[in-house]
């Protein structure tokens, strides 16, 4: 059977002396600007023994027993070459609106007296380039003014890049809790000292916009929710074909989505799924179809097919006369033709300084012919990445049995416990695993249910990919992790994200009765 999945990234190729930095996504650098402080204890619990209600779990934390109040007119104090960037100011305003209700500013105490009046954000670099290799690490200090770890205003975030600062702002926002008795926003368990960075560079969500049209505003909502979970690369399929003239994406839409995502530290990588899954292309270019009655896969015998692929970046082949003739002249089977198609598409991508990302069938069928720059994307099942990295290729895990969001019967526990490095003990080979991606295929999801299909199960995978393995492995799944995931699901709901109950047997189902979101 001819498989038909090939992805070409649309981002430039990185320099040859950075072979690990080939797929544009977010990655934390191994070394930061300035001296690093000694590592902190694993971030499993607060000083009082309570779970750390931060998602995903930071790399290391220390905390105390104080409760600090936060000024509703919290001010940004930007420092360093990158602290004054517009991106930092915009991110600060977004999070301030999430933390404080509008009426809280009017109810502010006239005499002040808040423990945290300023948030100092120190960013070492003004470089806003978003690429694989960008540093997402950050450090947070929160302490009462005059305390041992005090800074002016009571809170500071230090980061090497604006994208690390953005991750730090998300974590700080989760520390801020509204007290309904005092009507103050508080930071509990202070003083806090948090050091954090992701374990994997590639932490992806595939958003399928080809099976159902997803409006631009909904795509932006998904991007916002991804930033809350520090799940960063995104993959809308921006197809030219459409179900109607009212369900199309313009070039301007694409630019808008990419720019919106970049401000949140998220890359958008368009998936070009060829030679199959591209039937709609023939609506505009009929010559791409082998024949009017055989509309996919694309016509492998036509140079025009590859001209279109270059320009915008398997049974049919047997029964269409001119394709069958082309195969016979070259003594090719349809399997040979698929190999020819993939390798030619790879060649086009590399000539354009792009990096090919191929679904695993290409590796399974002709690994010895793939370009060494190829990133192999697992989806069929477990045990693939160990084989891929043993041959020197990079790998992304998306095992359909555990990380396909449209599989509604896969519980959150499976998303959480699936480990991208399973079966790989060699340290050098582990470095070739870029990370993973949860896939929101859209056959049964549209605007009405896409968010509750994604969340909260995608958050379980997000913590697996962000947090340190030792920290997440030390937690009890059904007590500590579950209570924290309930809490994060409620946070998403409070922020307007339609995250479904955590423990329903089928994902995206509504609650089965009245009750608190913290126990559903």
């Amino acid at each position: 059977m001819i498989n038909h999945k090939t992805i070409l990234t649309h981002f430039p190729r990185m320099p040859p002396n950075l072979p690990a930095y080939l797929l544009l996504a977010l990655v934390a650098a191994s070394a930061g600007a300035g001296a690093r402080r000694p590592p902190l204890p694993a971030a499993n619990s607060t000083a009082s023994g309570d779970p750390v209600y931060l998602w995903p779990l930071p790399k290391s934390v220390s905390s105390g027993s104080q409760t600090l109040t936060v000024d509703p007119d919290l001010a940004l104090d930007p420092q360093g070459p990158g602290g004054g960037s517009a991106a930092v100011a915009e991110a600060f305003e977004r999070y301030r609106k999430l933390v404080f209700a509008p009426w809280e500013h009017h109810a502010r105490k006239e005499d002040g007296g808040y423990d945290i009046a300023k948030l100092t954000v120190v960013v070492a670099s003004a470089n806003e380039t978003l690429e694989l290799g960008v540093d997402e690490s950050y450090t947070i200090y929160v302490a009462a003014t005059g305390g041992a770890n005090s800074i002016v205003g009571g809170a500071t975030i230090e980061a090497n890049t604006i994208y690390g600062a953005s991750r730090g702002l998300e974590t700080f926002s989760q520390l801020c809790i509204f007290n309904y008795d005092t009507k103050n926003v508080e930071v509990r368990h202070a003083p806090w000292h948090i050091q954090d960075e992701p374990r994997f560079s590639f932490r992806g969500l595939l958003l399928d916009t080809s099976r159902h049209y997803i409006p631009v505003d909904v795509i932006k909502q998904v991007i916002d929710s991804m930033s809350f979970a520090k799940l960063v690369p995104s993959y809308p399929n921006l197809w030219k074909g459409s179900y109607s003239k009212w369900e199309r994406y313009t070039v301007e839409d694409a630019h808008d989505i990419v720019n919106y995502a970049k401000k949140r530290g998220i890359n958008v990588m368009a998936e070009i799924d060829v030679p199959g899954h591209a039937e709609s292309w023939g609506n505009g270019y009929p010559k791409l179809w082998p024949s009017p009655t055989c509309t996919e896969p694309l016509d492998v015998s036509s140079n025009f097919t590859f001209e279109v692929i270059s320009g915008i970046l398997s049974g049919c082949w047997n029964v269409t006369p001119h394709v069958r003739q082309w195969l016979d002249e070259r003594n090719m089977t349809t399997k040979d033709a698929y190999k020819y198609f993939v390798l030619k598409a790879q060649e086009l991508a590399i000539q354009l300084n792009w990096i090919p990302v191929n679904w695993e069938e290409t590796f399974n069928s002709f690994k010895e012919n793939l370009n060494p720059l190829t990133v192999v994307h697992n989806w069929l099942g477990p045990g693939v990445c160990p084989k891929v990295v043993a041959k020197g290729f990079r790998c992304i895990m998306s095992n359909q049995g555990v990380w396909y969001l449209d599989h509604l019967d896969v519980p959150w526990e499976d998303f959480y416990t699936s480990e991208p490095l399973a079966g790989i003990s060699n340290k050098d080979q582990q470095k070739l695993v870029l990370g993973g991606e949860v896939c929101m295929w859209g056959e049964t999801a549209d605007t009405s249910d896409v968010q509750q299909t994604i969340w909260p199960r995608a958050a379980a995978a997000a913590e697996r990919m962000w947090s340190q393995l030792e920290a997440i492995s030390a937690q009890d799944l059904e007590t500590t992790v579950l209570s924290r995931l309930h809490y994060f699901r409620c946070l998403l709901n409070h922020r307007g994200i339609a995250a479904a109950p955590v423990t329903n047997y089928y994902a995206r189902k509504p609650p089965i009765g009245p009750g608190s979101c913290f126990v559903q």
Side-chain angles (χ1 to χ4, degrees):
M1 178 178 178
I2 298 297
N3 190 275
H4 45 262
K5 297 188 177 183
T6 301
I7 307 174
L8 306 179
T9 70
H10 71 303
F11 296 117
R13 179 150 52 105
M14 302 305 294
N17 61 328
L18 297 175
Y21 296 162
L22 293 171
L23 189 59
L24 271 188
L26 296 185
V27 59
S30 58
R36 288 292 186 185
R37 295 167 178 80
L40 294 170
N44 292 321
S45 61
T46 65
S48 62
D50 297 326
V52 174
Y53 287 104
L54 298 173
W55 199 282
L57 197 66
K59 183 176 182 179
S60 58
V61 305
S62 67
S63 62
S65 57
Q66 299 176 345
T67 296
L68 308 180
T69 56
V70 185
D71 193 333
D73 288 340
L74 182 70
L76 172 66
D77 180 20
Q79 300 288 336
S85 72
V88 170
E90 290 178 22
F92 174 78
E93 286 302 320
R94 285 198 307 273
Y95 280 106
R96 188 164 67 171
K97 290 177 180 177
L98 289 173
V99 170
F100 297 102
W103 62 263
E104 292 180 71
H105 301 280
H106 304 295
R108 181 181 183 274
K109 294 182 293 186
E110 292 184 4
D111 60 350
Y114 294 97
D115 297 304
I116 302 173
K118 288 183 180 179
L119 176 60
T120 301
V121 179
V122 184
V123 183
S125 172
N127 188 345
E128 297 188 8
T129 303
L130 183 60
E131 62 186 17
L132 189 72
V134 72
D135 190 335
E136 294 178 272
S137 65
Y138 65 90
T139 301
I140 294 179
Y141 305 91
V142 182
T145 301
N149 293 319
S150 172
I151 46 82
V152 176
T156 188
I157 296 171
E158 294 179 358
N160 294 318
T161 68
I162 62 171
Y163 304 109
S166 178
R167 304 291 172 251
L169 284 166
E170 170 59 40
T171 299
F172 178 77
S173 75
Q174 292 187 27
L175 289 174
C176 296
I177 307 297
F178 183 73
N179 185 323
Y180 282 86
D181 293 325
T182 64
K183 296 185 179 178
N184 286 323
V185 169
E186 300 173 344
V187 173
R188 300 167 185 172
H189 303 295
W192 286 92
H193 179 198
I194 299 173
Q195 291 179 328
D196 201 13
E197 62 184 355
R199 184 160 68 106
F200 289 105
S201 62
F202 192 100
R203 309 178 307 279
L205 168 66
L206 182 148
L207 180 62
D208 178 7
T209 60
S210 62
R211 273 52 176 249
H212 287 95
Y213 174 78
I214 305 293
V216 171
D217 284 348
V218 176
I219 293 175
K220 289 181 177 180
Q221 291 170 15
V222 173
I223 290 171
D224 282 333
S225 61
M226 290 170 66
S227 69
F228 301 155
K230 301 186 178 75
L231 191 62
V232 290
S234 173
Y235 293 75
N237 293 295
L238 301 179
W239 298 95
K240 287 189 174 182
S242 62
Y243 292 107
S244 73
K245 64 181 180 181
W246 299 282
E247 298 173 287
R248 294 175 178 169
Y249 300 104
T250 65
V251 173
E252 291 77 11
D253 288 333
H255 281 295
D256 185 32
I257 290 168
V258 169
N259 290 333
Y260 187 89
K262 183 180 179 182
K263 290 179 179 179
R264 288 148 181 83
I266 293 173
N267 269 314
V268 177
M269 189 172 93
E271 177 180 322
I272 303 173
D273 223 353
V274 289
H277 292 184
E279 180 180 5
S280 62
W281 296 17
N283 291 324
Y285 301 98
K287 287 168 38 178
L288 292 172
W289 290 338
S291 73
T293 58
C294 178
T295 54
E296 67 173 341
L298 300 179
D299 189 345
V300 68
S301 70
S302 171
N303 287 333
F304 180 68
T305 296
F306 296 100
E307 290 174 11
V308 171
I309 292 174
S310 179
I312 65 170
L313 95 313
S314 286
C316 265
W317 288 342
N318 258 332
V319 299
T320 305
H322 75 274
V323 179
R324 180 69 264 172
Q325 179 182 350
W326 185 88
L327 293 174
D328 290 341
E329 289 172 353
R330 290 159 179 78
N331 196 27
M332 282 186 179
T333 65
T334 53
K335 187 174 181 179
D336 295 330
Y338 172 61
K339 173 182 172 182
Y340 168 85
F341 190 105
V342 169
L343 297 181
K344 190 169 181 67
Q346 283 200 339
E347 180 184 341
L348 292 171
I350 292 166
Q351 287 174 356
L352 295 168
N353 288 329
W354 300 352
I355 297 304
V357 183
N358 292 112
W359 291 103
E360 68 176 80
E361 292 89 339
T362 58
F363 175 83
N364 296 338
S365 299
F366 42 89
K367 62 179 74 69
E368 64 279 357
N369 300 112
L370 293 176
N371 189 285
L373 297 178
T374 302
V375 177
V376 178
H377 196 161
N378 151 245
W379 74 281
L380 283 172
V384 175
C385 281
K387 299 175 183 177
V388 169
V389 298
K391 293 295 184 181
F393 294 103
R394 289 171 303 282
C395 190
I396 297 169
M397 190 193 94
S398 290
N399 179 356
Q400 64 173 335
V402 289
W403 276 7
Y404 267 30
L405 293 160
D406 56 313
H407 293 192
L408 302 181
D409 58 345
V410 178
W412 73 269
E413 293 95 334
D414 288 359
F415 278 83
Y416 193 86
T417 57
S418 297
E419 173 54 46
L421 296 183
I424 307 172
S425 57
N426 182 285
K427 297 296 184 182
D428 291 331
Q429 293 179 4
Q430 288 180 351
K431 295 175 183 178
L432 295 176
V433 179
L434 298 181
E437 172 187 286
V438 290
C439 298
M440 181 62 263
W441 295 111
E443 287 90 344
T444 63
D446 63 8
T447 300
S448 69
D449 59 5
V450 66
Q451 289 279 39
Q452 53 264 54
T453 309
I454 294 173
W455 306 109
R457 293 183 302 160
E463 179 156 291
R464 169 62 54 170
M465 291 184 280
W466 176 280
S467 302
Q468 298 303 300
L469 182 60
E470 297 79 9
I472 56 180
S473 299
Q475 299 179 102
D476 184 83
L477 199 64
E478 296 302 327
T479 55
T480 306
V481 180
L482 180 57
S483 66
R484 293 178 52 250
L485 186 55
H486 278 309
Y487 188 91
F488 185 71
R489 180 252 173 166
C490 291
L491 176 70
L492 291 176
N493 286 173
H494 279 283
R495 293 182 176 184
I497 304 301
V502 176
T503 56
N504 279 4
Y505 182 77
Y506 284 107
R508 81 180 178 209
K509 292 292 185 181
I512 59 175
S516 167
C517 73
F518 291 102
V519 293
Q520 293 177 334

